[in-house]
mmCIF file of all heavy atoms in Angstrom:
data_model
loop_
_atom_site.group_PDB
_atom_site.id
_atom_site.type_symbol
_atom_site.label_atom_id
_atom_site.label_comp_id
_atom_site.label_asym_id
_atom_site.label_seq_id
_atom_site.Cartn_x
_atom_site.Cartn_y
_atom_site.Cartn_z
ATOM 1 N N ASP D 90 -11.610 34.780 -3.839
ATOM 2 C CA ASP D 90 -12.872 34.396 -4.449
ATOM 3 C C ASP D 90 -12.970 32.871 -4.719
ATOM 4 O O ASP D 90 -14.070 32.334 -4.635
ATOM 5 C CB ASP D 90 -13.102 35.096 -5.774
ATOM 6 C CG ASP D 90 -13.250 36.623 -5.570
ATOM 7 O OD1 ASP D 90 -13.820 37.008 -4.514
ATOM 8 O OD2 ASP D 90 -12.791 37.395 -6.405
ATOM 9 N N LEU D 91 -11.859 32.280 -5.015
ATOM 10 C CA LEU D 91 -11.866 30.873 -5.438
ATOM 11 C C LEU D 91 -12.390 29.914 -4.420
ATOM 12 O O LEU D 91 -13.201 29.023 -4.809
ATOM 13 C CB LEU D 91 -10.445 30.475 -5.903
ATOM 14 C CG LEU D 91 -10.331 29.067 -6.446
ATOM 15 C CD1 LEU D 91 -11.216 28.902 -7.735
ATOM 16 C CD2 LEU D 91 -8.877 28.713 -6.821
ATOM 17 N N PRO D 92 -12.034 29.947 -3.168
ATOM 18 C CA PRO D 92 -12.580 28.940 -2.218
ATOM 19 C C PRO D 92 -14.054 28.945 -2.103
ATOM 20 O O PRO D 92 -14.666 27.836 -2.131
ATOM 21 C CB PRO D 92 -11.880 29.346 -0.892
ATOM 22 C CG PRO D 92 -10.682 30.095 -1.279
ATOM 23 C CD PRO D 92 -11.013 30.811 -2.524
ATOM 24 N N ASN D 93 -14.706 30.060 -2.079
ATOM 25 C CA ASN D 93 -16.156 30.104 -2.044
ATOM 26 C C ASN D 93 -16.801 29.510 -3.285
ATOM 27 O O ASN D 93 -17.754 28.755 -3.202
ATOM 28 C CB ASN D 93 -16.686 31.509 -1.806
ATOM 29 C CG ASN D 93 -16.354 32.010 -0.427
ATOM 30 O OD1 ASN D 93 -16.203 31.244 0.554
ATOM 31 N ND2 ASN D 93 -16.271 33.312 -0.194
ATOM 32 N N ARG D 94 -16.292 29.910 -4.442
ATOM 33 C CA ARG D 94 -16.825 29.413 -5.709
ATOM 34 C C ARG D 94 -16.610 27.925 -5.778
ATOM 35 O O ARG D 94 -17.518 27.160 -6.241
ATOM 36 C CB ARG D 94 -16.149 30.100 -6.867
ATOM 37 C CG ARG D 94 -16.433 31.632 -7.004
ATOM 38 C CD ARG D 94 -17.970 31.842 -7.238
ATOM 39 N NE ARG D 94 -18.190 33.203 -7.708
ATOM 40 C CZ ARG D 94 -18.418 33.532 -8.930
ATOM 41 N NH1 ARG D 94 -18.479 32.606 -9.881
ATOM 42 N NH2 ARG D 94 -18.665 34.771 -9.258
ATOM 43 N N LEU D 95 -15.419 27.489 -5.435
ATOM 44 C CA LEU D 95 -15.121 25.977 -5.502
ATOM 45 C C LEU D 95 -16.006 25.238 -4.533
ATOM 46 O O LEU D 95 -16.487 24.139 -4.850
ATOM 47 C CB LEU D 95 -13.622 25.772 -5.194
ATOM 48 C CG LEU D 95 -13.139 24.368 -5.414
ATOM 49 C CD1 LEU D 95 -13.312 23.890 -6.846
ATOM 50 C CD2 LEU D 95 -11.628 24.206 -5.002
ATOM 51 N N GLY D 96 -16.211 25.826 -3.337
ATOM 52 C CA GLY D 96 -17.043 25.214 -2.369
ATOM 53 C C GLY D 96 -18.514 25.054 -2.888
ATOM 54 O O GLY D 96 -19.147 23.998 -2.656
ATOM 55 N N ASN D 97 -19.007 26.062 -3.499
ATOM 56 C CA ASN D 97 -20.403 25.988 -4.072
ATOM 57 C C ASN D 97 -20.482 24.870 -5.116
ATOM 58 O O ASN D 97 -21.506 24.133 -5.166
ATOM 59 C CB ASN D 97 -20.793 27.347 -4.710
ATOM 60 C CG ASN D 97 -20.952 28.465 -3.670
ATOM 61 O OD1 ASN D 97 -21.126 28.172 -2.510
ATOM 62 N ND2 ASN D 97 -20.804 29.684 -4.100
ATOM 63 N N SER D 98 -19.483 24.814 -5.964
ATOM 64 C CA SER D 98 -19.523 23.726 -7.026
ATOM 65 C C SER D 98 -19.401 22.383 -6.404
ATOM 66 O O SER D 98 -20.128 21.405 -6.809
ATOM 67 C CB SER D 98 -18.378 23.933 -8.002
ATOM 68 O OG SER D 98 -18.584 25.152 -8.736
ATOM 69 N N LEU D 99 -18.499 22.199 -5.448
ATOM 70 C CA LEU D 99 -18.338 20.897 -4.784
ATOM 71 C C LEU D 99 -19.580 20.473 -4.017
ATOM 72 O O LEU D 99 -19.879 19.265 -3.980
ATOM 73 C CB LEU D 99 -17.072 20.953 -3.858
ATOM 74 C CG LEU D 99 -15.730 21.009 -4.509
ATOM 75 C CD1 LEU D 99 -14.653 21.012 -3.519
ATOM 76 C CD2 LEU D 99 -15.544 19.768 -5.455
ATOM 77 N N GLU D 100 -20.337 21.442 -3.419
ATOM 78 C CA GLU D 100 -21.508 21.102 -2.786
ATOM 79 C C GLU D 100 -22.510 20.495 -3.731
ATOM 80 O O GLU D 100 -23.142 19.427 -3.462
ATOM 81 C CB GLU D 100 -22.136 22.361 -2.168
ATOM 82 C CG GLU D 100 -23.422 22.103 -1.431
ATOM 83 C CD GLU D 100 -24.155 23.334 -0.977
ATOM 84 O OE1 GLU D 100 -23.786 24.459 -1.473
ATOM 85 O OE2 GLU D 100 -25.065 23.287 -0.209
ATOM 86 N N LEU D 101 -22.684 21.084 -4.949
ATOM 87 C CA LEU D 101 -23.575 20.556 -5.977
ATOM 88 C C LEU D 101 -23.132 19.119 -6.327
ATOM 89 O O LEU D 101 -23.958 18.159 -6.385
ATOM 90 C CB LEU D 101 -23.536 21.388 -7.186
ATOM 91 C CG LEU D 101 -24.496 22.561 -7.326
ATOM 92 C CD1 LEU D 101 -24.357 23.178 -8.741
ATOM 93 C CD2 LEU D 101 -25.922 22.092 -7.076
ATOM 94 N N VAL D 102 -21.852 18.916 -6.577
ATOM 95 C CA VAL D 102 -21.327 17.676 -7.063
ATOM 96 C C VAL D 102 -21.401 16.619 -6.049
ATOM 97 O O VAL D 102 -21.903 15.472 -6.319
ATOM 98 C CB VAL D 102 -19.871 17.828 -7.556
ATOM 99 C CG1 VAL D 102 -19.246 16.521 -7.885
ATOM 100 C CG2 VAL D 102 -19.806 18.728 -8.769
ATOM 101 N N LEU D 103 -21.001 16.852 -4.812
ATOM 102 C CA LEU D 103 -20.967 15.856 -3.751
ATOM 103 C C LEU D 103 -22.364 15.426 -3.377
ATOM 104 O O LEU D 103 -22.633 14.225 -3.177
ATOM 105 C CB LEU D 103 -20.160 16.349 -2.589
ATOM 106 C CG LEU D 103 -18.673 16.563 -2.845
ATOM 107 C CD1 LEU D 103 -17.975 17.069 -1.601
ATOM 108 C CD2 LEU D 103 -18.042 15.249 -3.304
ATOM 109 N N VAL D 104 -23.309 16.381 -3.195
ATOM 110 C CA VAL D 104 -24.720 16.044 -2.808
ATOM 111 C C VAL D 104 -25.288 15.186 -3.971
ATOM 112 O O VAL D 104 -25.981 14.170 -3.695
ATOM 113 C CB VAL D 104 -25.529 17.252 -2.644
ATOM 114 C CG1 VAL D 104 -27.011 16.938 -2.437
ATOM 115 C CG2 VAL D 104 -25.026 18.003 -1.377
ATOM 116 N N SER D 105 -25.057 15.548 -5.203
ATOM 117 C CA SER D 105 -25.582 14.817 -6.325
ATOM 118 C C SER D 105 -25.009 13.408 -6.385
ATOM 119 O O SER D 105 -25.706 12.400 -6.616
ATOM 120 C CB SER D 105 -25.290 15.520 -7.651
ATOM 121 O OG SER D 105 -25.841 16.816 -7.620
ATOM 122 N N LEU D 106 -23.685 13.259 -6.144
ATOM 123 C CA LEU D 106 -23.034 11.969 -6.148
ATOM 124 C C LEU D 106 -23.593 11.079 -5.080
ATOM 125 O O LEU D 106 -23.850 9.884 -5.293
ATOM 126 C CB LEU D 106 -21.544 12.136 -6.000
ATOM 127 C CG LEU D 106 -20.764 10.844 -6.101
ATOM 128 C CD1 LEU D 106 -20.824 10.311 -7.549
ATOM 129 C CD2 LEU D 106 -19.340 10.940 -5.621
ATOM 130 N N ILE D 107 -23.678 11.577 -3.839
ATOM 131 C CA ILE D 107 -24.210 10.808 -2.751
ATOM 132 C C ILE D 107 -25.624 10.227 -3.029
ATOM 133 O O ILE D 107 -25.915 9.069 -2.861
ATOM 134 C CB ILE D 107 -24.221 11.565 -1.456
ATOM 135 C CG1 ILE D 107 -22.831 11.918 -1.028
ATOM 136 C CG2 ILE D 107 -24.985 10.833 -0.313
ATOM 137 C CD1 ILE D 107 -22.636 12.881 0.130
ATOM 138 N N ILE D 108 -26.463 11.117 -3.578
ATOM 139 C CA ILE D 108 -27.806 10.661 -3.886
ATOM 140 C C ILE D 108 -27.808 9.689 -5.047
ATOM 141 O O ILE D 108 -28.511 8.668 -4.989
ATOM 142 C CB ILE D 108 -28.713 11.861 -4.285
ATOM 143 C CG1 ILE D 108 -28.899 12.792 -2.997
ATOM 144 C CG2 ILE D 108 -30.080 11.432 -4.744
ATOM 145 C CD1 ILE D 108 -29.590 14.085 -3.273
ATOM 146 N N ALA D 109 -27.033 9.951 -6.058
ATOM 147 C CA ALA D 109 -26.967 9.041 -7.218
ATOM 148 C C ALA D 109 -26.421 7.655 -6.873
ATOM 149 O O ALA D 109 -27.016 6.667 -7.324
ATOM 150 C CB ALA D 109 -26.060 9.684 -8.353
ATOM 151 N N VAL D 110 -25.436 7.602 -6.058
ATOM 152 C CA VAL D 110 -24.811 6.319 -5.633
ATOM 153 C C VAL D 110 -25.837 5.533 -4.793
ATOM 154 O O VAL D 110 -26.043 4.320 -4.988
ATOM 155 C CB VAL D 110 -23.493 6.496 -4.921
ATOM 156 C CG1 VAL D 110 -23.023 5.178 -4.396
ATOM 157 C CG2 VAL D 110 -22.450 7.033 -5.968
ATOM 158 N N THR D 111 -26.366 6.216 -3.754
ATOM 159 C CA THR D 111 -27.280 5.544 -2.840
ATOM 160 C C THR D 111 -28.516 5.027 -3.562
ATOM 161 O O THR D 111 -28.894 3.842 -3.438
ATOM 162 C CB THR D 111 -27.741 6.570 -1.729
ATOM 163 O OG1 THR D 111 -26.590 7.052 -1.065
ATOM 164 C CG2 THR D 111 -28.591 5.818 -0.712
ATOM 165 N N LEU D 112 -29.108 5.908 -4.363
ATOM 166 C CA LEU D 112 -30.297 5.522 -5.095
ATOM 167 C C LEU D 112 -30.017 4.495 -6.187
ATOM 168 O O LEU D 112 -30.767 3.515 -6.414
ATOM 169 C CB LEU D 112 -30.938 6.734 -5.696
ATOM 170 C CG LEU D 112 -32.475 6.699 -6.034
ATOM 171 C CD1 LEU D 112 -33.294 6.338 -4.856
ATOM 172 C CD2 LEU D 112 -32.967 8.008 -6.643
ATOM 173 N N GLY D 113 -28.916 4.706 -6.906
ATOM 174 C CA GLY D 113 -28.554 3.777 -7.997
ATOM 175 C C GLY D 113 -28.255 2.372 -7.559
ATOM 176 O O GLY D 113 -28.673 1.400 -8.136
ATOM 177 N N VAL D 114 -27.510 2.281 -6.395
ATOM 178 C CA VAL D 114 -27.239 0.921 -5.859
ATOM 179 C C VAL D 114 -28.511 0.250 -5.399
ATOM 180 O O VAL D 114 -28.779 -0.972 -5.666
ATOM 181 C CB VAL D 114 -26.261 1.008 -4.721
ATOM 182 C CG1 VAL D 114 -26.113 -0.344 -3.954
ATOM 183 C CG2 VAL D 114 -24.892 1.437 -5.265
ATOM 184 N N LEU D 115 -29.397 1.001 -4.731
ATOM 185 C CA LEU D 115 -30.671 0.408 -4.245
ATOM 186 C C LEU D 115 -31.566 -0.035 -5.422
ATOM 187 O O LEU D 115 -32.069 -1.194 -5.408
ATOM 188 C CB LEU D 115 -31.414 1.431 -3.393
ATOM 189 C CG LEU D 115 -30.891 1.688 -1.998
ATOM 190 C CD1 LEU D 115 -31.611 2.858 -1.309
ATOM 191 C CD2 LEU D 115 -30.939 0.430 -1.204
ATOM 192 N N LEU D 116 -31.695 0.828 -6.416
ATOM 193 C CA LEU D 116 -32.526 0.456 -7.569
ATOM 194 C C LEU D 116 -31.907 -0.691 -8.357
ATOM 195 O O LEU D 116 -32.618 -1.525 -8.901
ATOM 196 C CB LEU D 116 -32.741 1.687 -8.469
ATOM 197 C CG LEU D 116 -33.538 2.849 -7.834
ATOM 198 C CD1 LEU D 116 -33.624 4.039 -8.740
ATOM 199 C CD2 LEU D 116 -34.924 2.362 -7.444
ATOM 200 N N GLY D 117 -30.560 -0.701 -8.490
ATOM 201 C CA GLY D 117 -29.886 -1.769 -9.270
ATOM 202 C C GLY D 117 -30.046 -3.086 -8.563
ATOM 203 O O GLY D 117 -30.278 -4.118 -9.167
ATOM 204 N N ARG D 118 -30.018 -3.033 -7.215
ATOM 205 C CA ARG D 118 -30.225 -4.262 -6.443
ATOM 206 C C ARG D 118 -31.679 -4.842 -6.600
ATOM 207 O O ARG D 118 -31.888 -6.000 -6.802
ATOM 208 C CB ARG D 118 -29.935 -4.010 -4.953
ATOM 209 C CG ARG D 118 -30.320 -5.150 -4.082
ATOM 210 C CD ARG D 118 -29.955 -4.873 -2.630
ATOM 211 N NE ARG D 118 -30.555 -5.821 -1.702
ATOM 212 C CZ ARG D 118 -30.260 -5.973 -0.428
ATOM 213 N NH1 ARG D 118 -29.339 -5.231 0.110
ATOM 214 N NH2 ARG D 118 -30.869 -6.824 0.304
ATOM 215 N N VAL D 119 -32.607 -3.874 -6.550
ATOM 216 C CA VAL D 119 -34.046 -4.314 -6.798
ATOM 217 C C VAL D 119 -34.210 -4.867 -8.151
ATOM 218 O O VAL D 119 -34.834 -5.930 -8.296
ATOM 219 C CB VAL D 119 -34.957 -3.094 -6.589
ATOM 220 C CG1 VAL D 119 -36.396 -3.396 -7.009
ATOM 221 C CG2 VAL D 119 -34.963 -2.625 -5.132
ATOM 222 N N ALA D 120 -33.663 -4.243 -9.175
ATOM 223 C CA ALA D 120 -33.764 -4.765 -10.571
ATOM 224 C C ALA D 120 -33.167 -6.131 -10.723
ATOM 225 O O ALA D 120 -33.750 -7.001 -11.365
ATOM 226 C CB ALA D 120 -33.166 -3.774 -11.538
ATOM 227 N N ALA D 121 -31.980 -6.350 -10.160
ATOM 228 C CA ALA D 121 -31.290 -7.627 -10.275
ATOM 229 C C ALA D 121 -32.001 -8.740 -9.564
ATOM 230 O O ALA D 121 -32.066 -9.877 -10.036
ATOM 231 C CB ALA D 121 -29.848 -7.519 -9.740
ATOM 232 N N THR D 122 -32.526 -8.452 -8.388
ATOM 233 C CA THR D 122 -33.227 -9.524 -7.597
ATOM 234 C C THR D 122 -34.599 -9.784 -8.147
ATOM 235 O O THR D 122 -35.291 -10.758 -7.703
ATOM 236 C CB THR D 122 -33.323 -9.133 -6.090
ATOM 237 O OG1 THR D 122 -33.924 -7.825 -5.981
ATOM 238 C CG2 THR D 122 -31.900 -9.147 -5.485
ATOM 239 N N ARG D 123 -35.121 -8.920 -9.053
ATOM 240 C CA ARG D 123 -36.408 -9.122 -9.704
ATOM 241 C C ARG D 123 -36.221 -9.149 -11.191
ATOM 242 O O ARG D 123 -37.092 -8.578 -11.944
ATOM 243 C CB ARG D 123 -37.378 -8.047 -9.259
ATOM 244 C CG ARG D 123 -37.787 -8.060 -7.764
ATOM 245 C CD ARG D 123 -38.469 -6.815 -7.359
ATOM 246 N NE ARG D 123 -38.935 -6.878 -5.984
ATOM 247 C CZ ARG D 123 -38.168 -6.775 -4.889
ATOM 248 N NH1 ARG D 123 -36.923 -6.585 -5.079
ATOM 249 N NH2 ARG D 123 -38.672 -6.863 -3.685
ATOM 250 N N ALA D 124 -35.224 -9.834 -11.641
ATOM 251 C CA ALA D 124 -34.900 -9.898 -13.080
ATOM 252 C C ALA D 124 -36.034 -10.498 -13.897
ATOM 253 O O ALA D 124 -36.708 -11.429 -13.481
ATOM 254 C CB ALA D 124 -33.627 -10.716 -13.289
ATOM 255 N N ASP D 125 -36.355 -9.798 -15.058
ATOM 256 C CA ASP D 125 -37.409 -10.197 -15.969
ATOM 257 C C ASP D 125 -38.814 -10.048 -15.394
ATOM 258 O O ASP D 125 -39.707 -10.673 -15.874
ATOM 259 C CB ASP D 125 -37.161 -11.664 -16.438
ATOM 260 C CG ASP D 125 -35.906 -11.738 -17.285
ATOM 261 O OD1 ASP D 125 -35.564 -10.765 -18.012
ATOM 262 O OD2 ASP D 125 -35.202 -12.785 -17.252
ATOM 263 N N LYS D 126 -38.893 -9.304 -14.325
ATOM 264 C CA LYS D 126 -40.198 -9.038 -13.753
ATOM 265 C C LYS D 126 -40.610 -7.598 -14.060
ATOM 266 O O LYS D 126 -39.736 -6.776 -14.485
ATOM 267 C CB LYS D 126 -40.213 -9.288 -12.283
ATOM 268 C CG LYS D 126 -40.029 -10.830 -11.922
ATOM 269 C CD LYS D 126 -40.059 -11.071 -10.424
ATOM 270 C CE LYS D 126 -39.885 -12.562 -10.125
ATOM 271 N NZ LYS D 126 -39.812 -12.839 -8.671
ATOM 272 N N PRO D 127 -41.882 -7.205 -13.800
ATOM 273 C CA PRO D 127 -42.256 -5.814 -14.200
ATOM 274 C C PRO D 127 -41.373 -4.740 -13.565
ATOM 275 O O PRO D 127 -41.062 -3.718 -14.224
ATOM 276 C CB PRO D 127 -43.728 -5.752 -13.661
ATOM 277 C CG PRO D 127 -44.167 -7.185 -13.729
ATOM 278 C CD PRO D 127 -43.015 -8.005 -13.422
ATOM 279 N N ALA D 128 -40.990 -4.920 -12.280
ATOM 280 C CA ALA D 128 -40.153 -3.938 -11.589
ATOM 281 C C ALA D 128 -38.820 -3.745 -12.287
ATOM 282 O O ALA D 128 -38.282 -2.650 -12.478
ATOM 283 C CB ALA D 128 -39.924 -4.295 -10.169
ATOM 284 N N ASP D 129 -38.222 -4.899 -12.789
ATOM 285 C CA ASP D 129 -36.982 -4.857 -13.498
ATOM 286 C C ASP D 129 -37.141 -4.134 -14.849
ATOM 287 O O ASP D 129 -36.337 -3.285 -15.140
ATOM 288 C CB ASP D 129 -36.508 -6.303 -13.688
ATOM 289 C CG ASP D 129 -35.150 -6.306 -14.505
ATOM 290 O OD1 ASP D 129 -34.309 -5.416 -14.307
ATOM 291 O OD2 ASP D 129 -35.007 -7.281 -15.331
ATOM 292 N N HIS D 130 -38.191 -4.487 -15.532
ATOM 293 C CA HIS D 130 -38.414 -3.814 -16.859
ATOM 294 C C HIS D 130 -38.628 -2.319 -16.691
ATOM 295 O O HIS D 130 -38.090 -1.511 -17.511
ATOM 296 C CB HIS D 130 -39.617 -4.451 -17.535
ATOM 297 C CG HIS D 130 -39.380 -5.909 -17.902
ATOM 298 N ND1 HIS D 130 -38.286 -6.380 -18.561
ATOM 299 C CD2 HIS D 130 -40.216 -6.963 -17.765
ATOM 300 C CE1 HIS D 130 -38.384 -7.655 -18.773
ATOM 301 N NE2 HIS D 130 -39.511 -8.073 -18.275
ATOM 302 N N ALA D 131 -39.361 -1.926 -15.656
ATOM 303 C CA ALA D 131 -39.599 -0.452 -15.402
ATOM 304 C C ALA D 131 -38.322 0.230 -15.070
ATOM 305 O O ALA D 131 -38.024 1.381 -15.588
ATOM 306 C CB ALA D 131 -40.621 -0.373 -14.307
ATOM 307 N N LEU D 132 -37.498 -0.407 -14.260
ATOM 308 C CA LEU D 132 -36.242 0.237 -13.859
ATOM 309 C C LEU D 132 -35.250 0.312 -14.996
ATOM 310 O O LEU D 132 -34.543 1.337 -15.159
ATOM 311 C CB LEU D 132 -35.619 -0.486 -12.676
ATOM 312 C CG LEU D 132 -36.297 -0.316 -11.328
ATOM 313 C CD1 LEU D 132 -35.745 -1.281 -10.280
ATOM 314 C CD2 LEU D 132 -36.178 1.120 -10.814
ATOM 315 N N VAL D 133 -35.210 -0.672 -15.794
ATOM 316 C CA VAL D 133 -34.327 -0.632 -17.019
ATOM 317 C C VAL D 133 -34.771 0.443 -17.980
ATOM 318 O O VAL D 133 -33.935 1.197 -18.504
ATOM 319 C CB VAL D 133 -34.285 -2.062 -17.710
ATOM 320 C CG1 VAL D 133 -33.583 -1.940 -19.084
ATOM 321 C CG2 VAL D 133 -33.615 -3.078 -16.833
ATOM 322 N N ALA D 134 -36.076 0.519 -18.203
ATOM 323 C CA ALA D 134 -36.595 1.557 -19.127
ATOM 324 C C ALA D 134 -36.362 2.940 -18.561
ATOM 325 O O ALA D 134 -35.952 3.913 -19.276
ATOM 326 C CB ALA D 134 -38.110 1.344 -19.284
ATOM 327 N N GLY D 135 -36.524 3.085 -17.221
ATOM 328 C CA GLY D 135 -36.299 4.389 -16.603
ATOM 329 C C GLY D 135 -34.828 4.815 -16.672
ATOM 330 O O GLY D 135 -34.510 5.976 -16.868
#
Side-chain angles (χ1 to χ4, degrees):
D90 295 325
L91 183 61
N93 289 335
R94 294 297 194 104
L95 188 61
N97 292 339
S98 295
L99 288 179
E100 180 187 14
L101 271 186
V102 171
L103 293 179
V104 172
S105 302
L106 182 72
I107 292 171
I108 295 175
V110 171
T111 305
L112 202 56
V114 170
L115 288 174
L116 294 177
R118 172 177 167 167
V119 170
T122 54
R123 292 167 175 75
D125 294 328
K126 294 181 179 177
D129 179 36
H130 295 313
L132 288 171
V133 170

